[in-house]
Amino acid sequence: MQNVLRVLEGRWKLIILFQLFGGQVRRFSDLERSIPGISQKMLIQQLRQLESDGVVGRIVHHQVPPKVEYHLTEWGQSLCPALDALLLWAENAPEEVRSSLILDVPSSET
Amino acid sequence: MQNVLRVLEGRWKLIILFQLFGGQVRRFSDLERSIPGISQKMLIQQLRQLESDGVVGRIVHHQVPPKVEYHLTEWGQSLCPALDALLLWAENAPEEVRSSLILDVPSSET
DNA sequence: CCGTATCCACTGTGATACTG
DNA sequence: CAGTATCACAGTGGATACGG
């Protein structure tokens, strides 16, 4: 049990999983763009861990330029109900938590 | 969203939450005993964070000996469906993940 | 019983630069 | 585009001892 929960540990794991929610197939650069604040290193690291834990699958298309796609495995898919419940829970969060103390305002140009 | 998910980050958060599942009211020492491997420091630290994030409530009974009880707040209760789904997911985990590489065999006595 | 304080090691995370 | 390598740092986590 503890063992299994550790699969989800890591700052970006759940966020990544949400991106793959519902059977989506996403490219590396796609994920990178969709998750503000994540670095390539963290993205690849967490993906690799999820992959080796059997939650995420990885498909390499041998092309130029390279193209790699990620998706939920079957077991990963079975996480979706939990993800869904989590989403619902997060939406009901009190304001103090939502805004937290974390203010990252990436001033997008001018 | 990211902000809200961070409430659940931390090695013992989910495990603690599972102990409080379904409206249980548990004492400090009770929790400590129920979670093998956790230290007092970690238990109190994670409890305090959960408390200040509004997930867990704390009730002090001014007695000798002291008695403090923890429980889920209303918002914490609304996490239960997710916890439930997570439990179901964990039970469907492939064997490789369940056994993982973590073998902690605390040789008891002798 | 329920914490707090301190010390210390480790590992998770992040910025940056580089490669196939 | 996708990924690796390195370095540096902060926070987490663990052991132990002490206090109300």
Side-chain angles (χ1 to χ4, degrees):
Chain A
M1 178 70 198
Q2 253 97 325
N3 279 344
V4 182
L5 287 182
R6 301 194 72 150
V7 169
L8 301 179
E9 269 177 29
R11 168 119 195 243
W12 305 98
K13 295 273 180 74
L14 281 178
I15 299 174
I16 292 175
L17 260 13
F18 273 110
Q19 296 294 328
L20 266 18
F21 191 89
Q24 294 179 64
V25 176
R26 317 272 312 259
R27 302 186 55 165
F28 183 85
S29 54
D30 186 13
L31 289 171
E32 194 179 0
R33 250 173 286 109
S34 303
I35 307 177
I38 198 173
S39 64
Q40 284 192 325
K41 175 188 167 184
M42 276 304 111
L43 180 53
I44 195 64
Q45 176 184 299
Q46 309 261 301
L47 279 171
R48 286 284 145 84
Q49 290 175 9
L50 288 170
E51 189 189 355
S52 88
D53 283 330
V55 183
V56 163
R58 176 172 177 266
I59 295 177
V60 182
H61 302 268
H62 290 284
Q63 310 175 349
V64 177
K67 178 176 174 182
V68 180
E69 292 181 320
Y70 295 89
H71 59 93
L72 294 180
T73 61
E74 198 169 326
W75 184 46
Q77 294 281 349
S78 74
L79 231 190
C80 285
L83 257 25
D84 225 348
L86 237 28
L87 201 58
L88 195 64
W89 172 75
E91 283 166 357
N92 283 8
E95 269 310 319
E96 317 93 69
V97 177
R98 309 180 72 112
S99 36
S100 202
L101 296 180
I102 310 170
L103 311 172
D104 73 293
V105 188
S107 60
S108 48
E109 114 308 307
T110 321
Chain B
M1 178 71 200
Q2 254 98 322
N3 279 346
V4 183
L5 288 183
R6 300 194 73 150
V7 170
L8 302 180
E9 269 176 31
R11 170 121 191 238
W12 305 97
K13 295 271 180 72
L14 281 179
I15 298 174
I16 291 174
L17 259 14
F18 273 110
Q19 297 293 328
L20 266 19
F21 191 89
Q24 296 178 62
V25 176
R26 317 273 310 259
R27 303 185 55 163
F28 183 85
S29 54
D30 186 12
L31 289 171
E32 194 179 1
R33 252 173 284 110
S34 303
I35 307 178
I38 198 172
S39 64
Q40 283 193 327
K41 174 188 169 185
M42 278 303 111
L43 180 53
I44 194 64
Q45 177 184 299
Q46 309 263 304
L47 278 171
R48 286 284 145 86
Q49 290 175 9
L50 288 170
E51 189 189 357
S52 87
D53 282 329
V55 184
V56 162
R58 175 171 179 266
I59 296 176
V60 181
H61 302 268
H62 290 282
Q63 310 174 350
V64 178
K67 176 176 174 182
V68 180
E69 291 181 319
Y70 295 90
H71 59 94
L72 294 180
T73 62
E74 197 169 329
W75 183 46
Q77 294 281 351
S78 74
L79 230 191
C80 285
L83 256 27
D84 224 348
L86 236 29
L87 202 59
L88 196 63
W89 172 75
E91 283 166 356
N92 282 7
E95 270 309 319
E96 317 92 70
V97 176
R98 309 181 73 112
S99 36
S100 203
L101 296 181
I102 311 168
L103 312 171
D104 74 293
V105 188
S107 60
S108 48
E109 49 80 35
T110 315

